[in-house]
Amino acid sequence: MDYHKDTERISKSGLDLINKSPLHYWEKYLNPMHKDKTTHALTFGSAVHCAVLEPAEFGKRYSIIPDIDRRTKEGKLRYAEFLETVGNKEMITREDSNNIEHIMTAVNRHPQASLLKSKITEVEQIYTHEDMKCKPDAITSLGIVLDLKTTEDASPK
């Protein structure tokens, strides 16, 4: 069952929406006409998550948009050829790919983060208990739950 469509149980995100208003929860989880909006921030965060926690999956899920001038006839043709190779992969820009690479390098160079990453045993497994559910980003063999976040501004405020 799709984690987001499991209406028998509620997640922290669902509780946050109910706290905002029951209508917000209904719109996201119960409205049959609802379609999740994909934003650049969500796509980037998911790509970072995949690259850091599931690096072997990255190339299967993401395709880097080549630097092509799509204003020219040749550029339009090259871009159309690229689109034929994408399939259902998410497309990310070269700039995002470079930023993801920097994040991966930073995580791998950080002693504690690198150690925790090497101990990952489960990624995005759904856990349920009675009427609650959760899907942690990763769990290590040490029993530590990992939650990876991206942000444009990591300042204290």
Side-chain angles (χ1 to χ4, degrees), residues 7-155:
T7 57
E8 299 298 314
R9 296 172 182 86
I10 194 162
S11 66
K12 160 85 168 63
S13 300
L15 290 171
D16 288 344
L17 285 176
I18 286 175
N19 188 48
K20 198 171 188 179
S21 83
L23 184 58
H24 282 87
Y25 178 84
W26 180 86
E27 175 59 32
K28 173 134 178 115
Y29 294 108
L30 302 176
N31 180 355
M33 304 302 290
H34 176 80
K35 291 196 168 115
D36 283 329
K37 296 177 184 171
T38 301
T39 64
H40 174 262
L42 287 174
T43 299
F44 182 77
S46 294
V48 168
H49 178 279
C50 182
V52 171
L53 300 177
E54 302 175 281
E57 295 294 310
F58 188 80
K60 298 173 189 174
R61 296 182 193 170
Y62 296 91
S63 188
I64 300 165
I65 302 168
D67 295 325
I68 297 173
D69 183 355
R70 290 185 264 167
R71 296 173 296 178
T72 67
K73 184 176 180 180
E74 179 188 345
K76 290 176 185 176
L77 179 62
R78 286 183 56 217
Y79 188 72
E81 289 169 352
F82 161 71
L83 289 178
E84 290 177 12
T85 68
V86 172
N88 351 345
K89 293 179 185 178
E90 287 275 349
M91 296 189 300
I92 59 172
T93 64
R94 172 88 44 216
E95 180 183 7
D96 282 347
S97 174
N98 291 339
N99 288 333
I100 291 165
E101 186 70 34
H102 291 306
I103 292 168
M104 285 175 35
T105 300
V107 169
N108 291 333
R109 285 185 180 165
H110 190 280
Q112 289 87 2
S114 178
L115 173 65
L116 288 173
K117 186 178 162 193
S118 73
K119 303 284 186 193
I120 291 173
T121 57
E122 298 177 26
V123 177
E124 289 196 352
Q125 294 298 310
I126 298 170
Y127 295 93
T128 60
H129 178 73
E130 296 178 6
D131 57 353
M132 300 295 294
K133 64 183 174 182
C134 69
K135 185 168 70 169
D137 289 345
I139 297 180
T140 70
S141 59
L142 306 170
I144 297 172
V145 175
L146 305 179
D147 188 30
L148 181 61
K149 298 293 182 206
T150 56
T151 182
E152 287 186 19
D153 181 1
S155 65

